[in-house]
Amino acid sequence: VSLAAALLALVLLAEGGPGQLQVTVDSARHEVLVVAGPFRVPAMAPMPGHQMMDHAMAQDTPLERFGWPVDGWARGFRVRLVDAEGRDVPRRVLHHLIVVNFGRRQLLYPAYERLFGAGAETDDVVLPKTVGVPLQAGMPLGMYLGWHNETGAEFPGVYLRLTLLWTPSNQVPAPVSALPFYADVNLQIGGSNTFDVPPGRSTRSWEFSLPVSGRLIGLGGHLHDYGEELRLEEASTGKTLSRLRARRDSLGQVRGVERHLYGVAGEGRRLRAGVRYRVVGVYRNPTDESRLRGAMAHVAGLFVPSDLRCWPRLDEDAPDLRRDRAALDGGSEAADSAPHVHHGP
Ligand SMILES: [Cu+2]
């Protein structure tokens, strides 16, 4: 076993760039380990309120690309931060981690798939073995992170150890293929998705239709402070298909958003190709001042297409996709106009 494991344990170095990204396959445990770093994570001054923390103060690292090494399905991840001696670094200094799949388009947007995102409060995610996100060996992935270190101490050399769990392509029965689903009330691809929140109650929504039918088997959401709820509705009837309420404290600061697991074997929430749907974000601002560009509202989950062959094709030359690529690859202009767009759950 050890020889086979050793032979199968590939170590791939990310092509180009100063990053020391290492990808290692553990074929016995069905895990892919991605190690990035070292990163210098300076201490930041504490910020009043959570909104500042949410965006302006998170420092994004440059995108680092790597190739996904195995055929199969991704079914979860674990995140750990360590120093050069292997000692744990507090997980909360990692504000967000985004993994992008440059080999596939999103369902609703001509933009690259966000395989997953993890925030400071996101627990490790592990799906049951009956479901997974299909990935082929060689699929071009990329990742970036944002630091937010309020511990008061600098961490001079932090390594991110991202463990991805996968199911091999020969598993019987094969898992159900589920792909990321993302719908935002205000996404400009390659730009920002934030918007202003006026005093009082306000809603913002975006309508869409799907190129392929399927079912949502899980859905979470993301709101900033003063956020009240997110809804997924049928546009013509206004019928609510999913409602995600924010957990808020007495000042309206959002502590989290509900998450629904509609089941893997069960029906999930059926969505049909060609039907108009609407994602709605509801805010209630108790102050008498608008909060400028202070809000975000989106849902993110897992979608099982009825036919994966009908998934929309990636068109590398489409203007939206080029904008997305430019923003992800950085460059000062793109970085200014495009703070991170986080995708969960
Ligand atoms: Cu946000």
Side-chain angles (χ1 to χ4, degrees), residues 55 97 141 240 280 331:
H55 294 285
L97 159 69
L141 305 186
T240 300
V280 185

Side-chain angles (χ1 to χ4, degrees), residues 185 195 198 200-205 229 231 280-284:
V185 302
F195 54 92
R201 196 167 186 277
S202 60
T203 67
R204 195 162 185 121
S205 63
E229 68 175 26
R231 291 194 305 270
V280 185
V282 181
Y283 273 78
R284 192 158 41 87

Side-chain angles (χ1 to χ4, degrees), residues 72-84:
W73 290 263
R75 68 173 193 96
F77 64 89
R78 296 193 299 265
V79 174
R80 210 181 140 205
L81 302 177
V82 296
D83 64 16

Side-chain angles (χ1 to χ4, degrees), residues 54-55 193-194 222-224 295-296 298 340 342:
D54 237 11
H55 294 285
N193 60 346
T194 58
H222 178 69
L223 289 163
H224 289 187
M296 272 192 193
H298 58 243
H340 71 282
H342 35 212

Side-chain angles (χ1 to χ4, degrees), residues 8-262:
L8 285 168
L10 316 170
V11 177
L12 310 166
L13 288 174
E15 65 277 14
Q20 282 95 46
L21 199 72
Q22 285 192 357
V23 181
T24 313
V25 180
D26 185 332
S27 297
R29 301 171 71 168
H30 297 138
E31 291 180 357
V32 171
L33 175 65
V34 181
V35 179
F39 299 98
R40 190 176 75 86
V41 183
M44 294 167 145
M47 284 292 130
H50 160 120
Q51 180 213 347
M52 289 297 289
M53 181 194 90
D54 237 11
H55 294 285
M57 299 314 290
Q59 301 165 335
D60 278 356
T61 65
L63 179 94
E64 293 189 81
R65 291 176 179 253
F66 61 101
W68 177 253
V70 287
D71 283 324
W73 290 263
R75 68 173 193 96
F77 64 89
R78 296 193 299 265
V79 174
R80 210 181 140 205
L81 302 177
V82 296
D83 64 16
E85 283 74 47
R87 289 176 304 220
D88 280 309
V89 169
R91 169 74 173 76
R92 66 180 184 278
V93 306
L94 178 64
H95 182 257
H96 54 261
L97 159 69
I98 311 288
V99 176
V100 182
N101 182 357
F102 288 93
R104 190 159 49 210
R105 218 200 82 152
Q106 293 185 30
L107 180 63
L108 304 183
Y109 300 100
Y112 293 105
E113 175 179 287
R114 269 56 172 185
L115 187 56
F116 67 85
E121 289 96 29
T122 309
D123 292 328
D124 295 341
V125 170
V126 178
L127 300 171
K129 282 186 175 157
T130 49
V131 65
V133 182
L135 292 176
Q136 288 90 52
M139 256 180 161
L141 305 186
M143 56 165 256
Y144 64 92
L145 14 141
W147 298 112
H148 184 84
N149 178 7
E150 281 189 347
T151 64
E154 170 170 324
F155 296 95
V158 178
Y159 291 85
L160 171 86
R161 294 175 63 86
L162 169 65
T163 303
L164 292 144
L165 285 63
W166 55 284
T167 302
S169 52
N170 60 2
Q171 180 182 283
V172 179
V176 170
S177 287
L179 281 71
F181 176 91
Y182 176 76
D184 192 297
V185 302
N186 188 48
L187 180 67
Q188 276 106 49
I189 296 168
S192 175
N193 60 346
T194 58
F195 54 92
D196 301 342
V197 172
R201 196 167 186 277
S202 60
T203 67
R204 195 162 185 121
S205 63
W206 179 66
E207 279 194 20
F208 59 92
S209 58
L210 309 169
V212 55
S213 299
R215 53 196 177 92
L216 279 171
I217 59 171
L219 196 67
H222 178 69
L223 289 163
H224 289 187
D225 288 345
Y226 305 153
E228 197 166 69
E229 68 175 26
L230 289 153
R231 291 194 305 270
L232 207 53
E233 298 176 345
E234 210 173 79
S236 61
T237 62
K239 183 185 163 202
T240 300
L241 302 174
S242 186
R243 183 191 300 270
L244 305 165
R245 293 180 194 82
R247 289 187 302 279
R248 319 195 316 167
D249 65 16
S250 56
L251 300 173
Q253 295 203 346
V254 170
R255 297 302 178 204
V257 177
E258 270 182 295
R259 189 188 286 188
H260 293 315
L261 294 173
Y262 296 116

